[in-house]
Amino acid sequence: MLLLLALLVLLPLSIVQRYRVGTARRLGRSWVATLNLVILGFSAALFILGAAVMSLWVPEILVYVVGRFAGGGILGALGLKLTRWEPSGRTMHYTPSRVLVLILTLAVSARVLHGFWRAWQAWTAARPGASWLAASGAADSLAVGAVVLGYYLTYWAGVARRMKRPRIHPREVLDEPIELQAPVKALCAVV
């Protein structure tokens, strides 16, 4: 009972903290973006494999999940467009879109709460021989998870691509010797 009370008290705090961390200005590091991309790719593969296994009990869930995964990819591309990129010298800072982070945070939070309630209702009211898993709304929960995975996989792929672009430091351009004497001499010879 105490654990349930702690969970109820800490859930709003964790949601606020997730939003704050998700919208913070970050230093872009190529290795971090690549690591996130690899880990998310592995998670996405396991997620789709899990959805394929669940399709034994919940029909059409795999098609539902793959469609929402693609929708998350579109949101990720939008997130890249809405991200504020700040190149400064040899570093790149970026700030993710507050609106998209808020939408994703609220969608996951609402789906988790609704999933608990719906699973409880399905568990207590399940008919003998009926799948309580199908009645619990697992397809909707997986769909929200697919949107989030699709979003972050696309977003981190874009961040990794952006971090690998060569950047020229302004001082490097100015430190190169500029040969203006030859063009000036040629111009003076004409005059």
Side-chain angles (χ1 to χ4, degrees), residues 18 22 26 37 40 68-83 95-105 144-159:
R18 176 66 210 137
R26 302 175 191 165
L37 185 60
L40 280 167
R68 296 314 184 268
F69 192 81
I74 293 169
L75 271 179
L78 178 65
L80 285 168
K81 290 288 184 191
L82 296 176
T83 296
T95 307
S97 167
R98 290 181 181 272
V99 173
L100 283 177
V101 171
L102 180 64
I103 289 170
L104 287 172
T105 303
V144 172
V147 168
V148 171
L149 266 175
Y151 171 82
Y152 281 113
L153 189 65
T154 304
Y155 188 81
W156 281 108
V159 170

Side-chain angles (χ1 to χ4, degrees), residues 99-140:
V99 173
L100 283 177
V101 171
L102 180 64
I103 289 170
L104 287 172
T105 303
L106 291 177
V108 169
S109 302
R111 190 59 220 159
V112 165
L113 292 174
H114 184 260
F116 281 139
W117 177 79
R118 185 118 182 237
W120 176 257
Q121 295 297 322
W123 183 266
T124 58
R127 297 184 318 258
S131 172
W132 72 268
L133 185 61
S136 70
D140 294 334

Side-chain angles (χ1 to χ4, degrees), residues 13-188:
L13 180 64
S14 69
I15 292 169
V16 170
Q17 193 62 15
R18 176 66 210 137
Y19 176 75
R20 287 184 62 218
V21 169
T23 59
R25 181 177 184 252
R26 302 175 191 165
L27 174 63
R29 293 185 177 102
S30 181
W31 70 270
V32 172
T34 303
L35 181 65
N36 279 336
L37 185 60
V38 168
I39 290 171
L40 280 167
F42 182 69
S43 295
L46 288 178
F47 186 80
I48 291 178
L49 179 67
V53 170
M54 277 185 86
S55 69
L56 297 172
W57 297 280
V58 184
E60 303 292 324
I61 195 168
L62 186 60
V63 174
Y64 197 58
V65 164
V66 169
R68 296 314 184 268
F69 192 81
I74 293 169
L75 271 179
L78 178 65
L80 285 168
K81 290 288 184 191
L82 296 176
T83 296
R84 190 174 68 220
W85 302 95
E86 303 169 28
S88 60
R90 292 189 182 272
T91 63
M92 171 81 78
H93 287 82
Y94 63 97
T95 307
S97 167
R98 290 181 181 272
V99 173
L100 283 177
V101 171
L102 180 64
I103 289 170
L104 287 172
T105 303
L106 291 177
V108 169
S109 302
R111 190 59 220 159
V112 165
L113 292 174
H114 184 260
F116 281 139
W117 177 79
R118 185 118 182 237
W120 176 257
Q121 295 297 322
W123 183 266
T124 58
R127 297 184 318 258
S131 172
W132 72 268
L133 185 61
S136 70
D140 294 334
S141 294
L142 283 179
V144 172
V147 168
V148 171
L149 266 175
Y151 171 82
Y152 281 113
L153 189 65
T154 304
Y155 188 81
W156 281 108
V159 170
R161 185 170 165 248
R162 184 87 183 230
M163 292 298 114
K164 290 186 189 220
R165 287 186 190 168
R167 290 183 298 277
I168 298 174
H169 192 279
R171 276 190 255 143
E172 289 176 0
V173 174
L174 294 178
D175 288 343
E176 294 177 5
I178 301 173
E179 293 293 329
L180 291 180
Q181 295 173 355
V184 171
K185 288 180 184 177
L187 184 62
C188 290

